[in-house]
Amino acid sequence: GGAYQHTITTPATDTTYTAIFRDATGSGTGLYGEYFPNTSLTALACETNEGIDQDCGTEAPLCGTLPADGFSVRWSGKLQPYFTEDHTFYVDADGGVRLWVNNVLIIDSWGESSAERTSSILSLTGGSLYNIKLEYQDITGVARARLYWATSGVLKEIIPISQLQPSKVITPPPPPTVATPTFTPPGGAYTSAQSVTLSTATVGAQIRYTLDGTSPSSGSALYTTPITVSTSTTLKARAF
């Protein structure tokens, strides 16, 4: 979890204290993020599960096809505090933001600004789950959004992904299928040395190969030029 701060006042006489610690770290995977190609939070372009620690600079977000300026994001899900304490929330953003915790709008600053925004104090129960939603719009220039919290015991920190649960779980797409390499000339018996060319129909794929009959891995030799085979050899190749 995050750093925890303790204040202990000692009495005038010797006293024994017993401290009991428990792991308050959650098992979250971040919030549900919806990215839109405009500032009206409409026409969904892509969706992710992530924490709110985003800094695109002046570039477009790496999520779908979005403009570098004039986009918006909505993050939503559940928040799980570590402990029962008063909490203050901070949004470090370049753009407009609105933050709801437990269905209460605690930061409302939708205009373009690069200043950090601070919420009022909320009393939350450790281990409980609270609805949370942050809306962000980038109008122009740098795009940045980071969500922090702090209590009397927890020093100000970006809210860890472990303490955030998405309102919708996004299943990542399966890895792209890579075409099996082809050999030119094909395997067979030859009376002279052969220059073997490897190729794959998958654009951008790398081909790794071995000459000892073992199965190629991502750490095997990288194919870059034709391979000269002059003796009986078992050549295996795989595209990545």
Side-chain angles (χ1 to χ4, degrees), residues 189-219:
Y190 297 90
T191 59
S192 61
Q194 299 294 308
S195 180
V196 181
T197 300
L198 305 179
S199 61
T200 175
T202 302
V203 177
Q206 290 186 338
I207 299 176
R208 302 279 177 168
Y209 69 93
T210 61
L211 298 172
D212 59 3
T214 60
S215 296
S217 69
S218 59

Side-chain angles (χ1 to χ4, degrees), residues 84-141:
T84 300
E85 291 182 308
D86 290 339
H87 288 67
T88 303
F89 293 85
Y90 308 85
V91 180
D92 171 26
D94 195 302
V97 295
R98 294 188 290 236
L99 175 64
W100 290 261
V101 174
N102 200 24
N103 302 316
V104 176
L105 180 63
I106 59 173
I107 292 179
D108 186 4
S109 178
W110 198 234
E112 178 73 18
S113 175
S114 59
E116 183 176 76
R117 285 78 148 192
T118 305
S119 77
S120 54
I121 294 175
L122 289 181
S123 180
L124 303 177
T125 302
S128 297
L129 295 176
Y130 296 89
N131 290 331
I132 183 170
K133 179 173 67 174
L134 176 65
E135 293 179 343
Y136 167 77
Q137 68 165 339
D138 170 65
I139 299 174
T140 186

Side-chain angles (χ1 to χ4, degrees), residues 6-32:
H6 302 272
T7 300
I8 298 176
T9 302
T10 58
T13 58
D14 291 343
T15 304
T16 299
Y17 293 90
T18 300
I20 300 175
F21 297 91
R22 64 181 177 85
D23 185 1
T25 304
S27 57
T29 57
L31 297 177
Y32 171 49

